[in-house]
Amino acid sequence: MTLNYSTPAVNPKLGSSFAIFASAYTCLALMLVVLEQLGLSTLTIDHAIIVAPALFYIAIGFMTRTIAIDDFFVAGERVPPLYNALALNAMVFGGSLLAGSIAAFFFIGIDAIAIPVGLFAGLVLMAVLFVPHLRKAGAYTVPGFLHLRFGRKTIRLAASVLMIAPCLIAIVAEIALGGKLVGYLLPSPQALGIDLSPASLFTLLVVASVVLAVVLGGMRAATWTQCAQFVVVLGLLAPLIIVSVIRTNLPLPQLTYGGQLEDIKEREASKGFITTTRPKALSDVLPGQTAQPVTRPAERMFSALSPVDFVLLIFCLAVGVAAHPSFLPRLSTTPTILASRRMFGWVTMVGAFVVLTIPAYAFFTKAMAVEALIGVPVSDLPTWARALQQLGFISLPGNQFEQLGGSQRVTFQPDSLALILPMAGQLPRVFFGLAAAALLAAVSACAAGHLVALANTVSDDIYHGILKRSASPARRLLVARLSMIVFGLFIFFLAKGHVDPLRWAMVSLSLAAGTFFAVLVLSVWWRRLSAQGALAGMLAGFGVTALYLSASGAPLFGIDPLNAAVIGVPVSFISAVIASLLLGASDAQAQEAAEDLRVPAGETLQSRMVRLSSRTKPSL
């Protein structure tokens, strides 16, 4: 008997829909530029440029609501490659890592290239190791994939529990950053007549906007909102290109920022404010939460990070991205296995563009800040410096700058550095709003993706997969939606505390790498891996990585705690291999699943399981 496999239809109007959105957003920005020249207040401009996209994300979430299981969990398996690539890049280069990378380039110089390169390397590693094989599985979640591979509920439950920590940490990092960004743009709660602290109100607004955008549509809503959010993220290019034209006469900042590095180098030498060039540990040189001065050269390689830390950071970020349980379900949303391969062609193109843009944005910002602020008498400060001081982006002294060591008197708030460029370039206020809206869009895209992954795991793996196999589709969707709301409330309370978004995002990637990378690699590429080995690998990797992240005292072998995956990944590999060899081989079903995963064509394992289970149901 021949089985016919149907390919889900792709909406032919997607291109038109997103072109209309991009045009509408551009028209909104241009209209606000005109109205600003006619006297529209800056507060109104900030509100319009921030609130309008947020309302549109919520509207997309409402329009993409669904009651179909496949639509909610994997967007109906009909997301075209380009749109899937935009959604995945929006998640990987989320707000925390985007803003954190810009701040890292600003403070520690070219050594910060390890962060975007590591993220991009993770996308490439995912394409090489997992794409066709995980798409062949067709699972809704990473725990679901491991269940299809080994057929054991214990594996599914363990993976479901272990993925909660890295996903929650990533969401908290994004929401905390989003709350700070909203605080820069909105008046205090007391001015609005609301009896809440600023942190509580602004964090609540961000959490509510993220939950409302995806609670009705799940992965389907997350996909289309993330595509729209990536369009908004591209708004960062507007001030960057204009400043590039002003300073270099060319609208290609990704290719011209080298000249800005030379300018920064000359000014650092003439003003003499660079005082530290010796590499330090990764945790010590990354920008923190407090305002700090610029003390490291911009263009000198390995002046902040040692070569060992540089390589280890790239490794940890790469394996974390490649194995993160929130990113991998994106592979199951394409119509076919071939489409998933094509998706990663777009992923690498878009990701490479982002990697080139981040340092350009940071160094144009630093060139203008060094030129106008550092070593300059207070009487000669530009007007935009006082505006930045009022917003809390920079701290200025009350007396004359010292010509030497002047940077010790000017401190910059790391989370706000991505917003300085439009004001330093003396552009209309709308461009400041575009930059803020871009960061908030990146925050929302990343947080929504992690939230959907958590909710899907609770519903499909824990509730339906373990607790109640007979649960109806409606009940499964209800559990997923309630999970989003519960997680949202929990995240709201966590994000109000002291959170360093960049470090928390890196911790999330290290935990994901230590827990899942080795097991996923062996699941695909080693038939001998048993269920006991997979369980031992996940538990050992998670335990060692978490302990090293939280340990105090001298680092083991000089490995920084933020690079904990360097220890966790090998321990996970060794534990999985030893347990598989000592506790017996995998059963015939697991070995058959491993063989099927090697053939990137035909019916997915998930579809086959659903088809066979439907045949075995007793007739009423």
Side-chain angles (χ1 to χ4, degrees), residues 105 108-111 261 264 268 296-300 363 366:
F105 276 108
I108 69 176
I110 200 66
D111 287 354
L261 274 174
I264 295 170
E268 288 173 346
R296 294 185 178 277
E299 55 81 34
R300 192 178 305 165
F363 288 129
K366 186 169 184 178

Side-chain angles (χ1 to χ4, degrees), residues 279-331:
K280 288 187 177 182
L282 175 63
S283 297
D284 295 332
V285 298
L286 283 181
Q289 285 299 283
T290 58
Q292 59 190 79
V294 179
T295 59
R296 294 185 178 277
E299 55 81 34
R300 192 178 305 165
M301 198 69 183
F302 303 128
S303 64
L305 296 177
S306 68
V308 173
D309 273 345
F310 185 87
V311 173
L312 294 184
L313 177 57
I314 292 177
F315 171 80
C316 290
L317 295 177
V319 294
V321 168
H324 204 290
S326 294
F327 302 153
L328 291 175
R330 179 62 56 191
L331 304 180

Side-chain angles (χ1 to χ4, degrees), residues 16-149:
S16 300
S17 300
F18 282 100
I20 291 171
F21 169 73
S23 301
Y25 188 63
T26 303
C27 290
L28 172 64
L30 294 175
M31 181 184 68
L32 290 174
V33 170
V34 174
L35 293 177
E36 181 179 356
Q37 304 307 311
L38 295 176
L40 188 66
S41 69
T42 58
L43 187 61
T44 304
I45 292 171
D46 291 346
H47 291 177
I49 203 70
I50 295 298
V51 173
L55 292 178
F56 192 80
Y57 307 150
I58 296 173
I60 292 177
F62 180 77
M63 292 186 291
T64 54
R65 64 192 184 279
T66 182
I67 57 173
I69 288 292
D70 282 350
D71 276 350
F72 193 91
F73 289 137
V74 287
E77 295 184 347
R78 55 175 180 269
V79 182
L82 173 60
Y83 298 92
N84 229 347
L86 297 180
L88 182 57
N89 274 286
M91 284 186 65
V92 172
F93 295 95
S96 297
L97 291 167
L98 180 60
S101 297
I102 292 172
F105 276 108
F106 190 92
F107 286 115
I108 69 176
I110 200 66
D111 287 354
I113 195 68
I115 299 175
V117 167
L119 300 176
F120 180 75
L123 294 172
V124 175
L125 200 61
M126 188 188 301
V128 172
L129 294 177
F130 301 134
V131 168
H133 312 291
L134 266 66
R135 180 62 187 91
K136 175 62 181 292
Y140 296 157
T141 62
V142 168
F145 164 76
L146 295 175
H147 179 253
L148 290 172
R149 171 67 170 81

Side-chain angles (χ1 to χ4, degrees), residues 22 73 125 129 146 162 212 291 308 320 323 336 405 532 559 566:
F73 289 137
L125 200 61
L129 294 177
L146 295 175
L162 292 176
L212 288 174
V308 173
T336 62
Q532 296 88 341
I559 298 174
V566 173

Side-chain angles (χ1 to χ4, degrees), residues 369-413:
V370 169
E371 176 183 329
L373 300 180
I374 299 179
V376 177
V378 173
S379 58
D380 295 339
L381 286 175
T383 55
W384 54 266
R386 294 300 179 188
L388 292 178
Q389 186 182 30
Q390 291 175 357
L391 288 169
F393 293 178
I394 63 175
S395 298
L396 299 172
N399 52 15
Q400 290 291 97
F401 283 121
E402 296 174 4
Q403 189 65 21
L404 297 180
S407 65
Q408 304 299 328
R409 300 290 190 88
V410 186
T411 57
F412 300 83
Q413 187 65 35

Side-chain angles (χ1 to χ4, degrees), residues 370-581:
V370 169
E371 176 183 329
L373 300 180
I374 299 179
V376 177
V378 173
S379 58
D380 295 339
L381 286 175
T383 55
W384 54 266
R386 294 300 179 188
L388 292 178
Q389 186 182 30
Q390 291 175 357
L391 288 169
F393 293 178
I394 63 175
S395 298
L396 299 172
N399 52 15
Q400 290 291 97
F401 283 121
E402 296 174 4
Q403 189 65 21
L404 297 180
S407 65
Q408 304 299 328
R409 300 290 190 88
V410 186
T411 57
F412 300 83
Q413 187 65 35
D415 291 335
S416 66
L417 283 169
L419 305 179
I420 288 180
L421 183 65
M423 302 189 73
Q426 302 183 61
L427 305 181
R429 180 72 176 197
V430 175
F431 291 93
F432 173 80
L434 286 174
L439 290 181
L440 285 172
V443 163
S444 299
C446 187
H450 290 295
L451 184 63
V452 168
L454 278 177
N456 289 353
T457 292
V458 171
S459 175
D460 189 59
D461 296 313
I462 298 178
Y463 177 70
H464 176 249
I466 297 172
L467 299 179
K468 194 171 183 180
R469 288 294 302 171
S470 61
S472 65
R475 184 60 62 86
R476 293 165 64 186
L477 294 182
L478 177 63
V479 170
R481 287 164 176 154
L482 289 176
S483 299
M484 290 186 191
I485 297 173
V486 172
F487 279 123
L489 293 173
F490 185 59
I491 291 161
F492 165 70
F493 289 106
L494 289 178
K496 291 191 301 179
H498 180 73
V499 176
D500 186 328
L502 177 60
R503 283 176 169 78
W504 280 50
M506 294 172 68
V507 166
S508 171
L509 292 175
S510 277
L511 271 179
T515 307
F516 295 105
F517 183 76
V519 172
L520 290 173
V521 170
L522 295 174
S523 296
V524 172
W525 298 103
W526 191 40
R527 292 178 64 251
R528 184 71 169 74
L529 181 67
S530 65
Q532 296 88 341
L535 183 60
M538 287 191 298
L539 293 175
F542 179 87
V544 169
T545 305
L547 284 175
Y548 197 75
L549 284 168
S550 59
S552 58
L556 184 64
F557 306 120
I559 298 174
D560 191 87
L562 289 176
N563 288 330
V566 173
I567 298 176
V569 170
V571 168
S572 181
F573 267 112
I574 294 171
S575 301
V577 170
I578 291 177
S580 297
L581 295 176

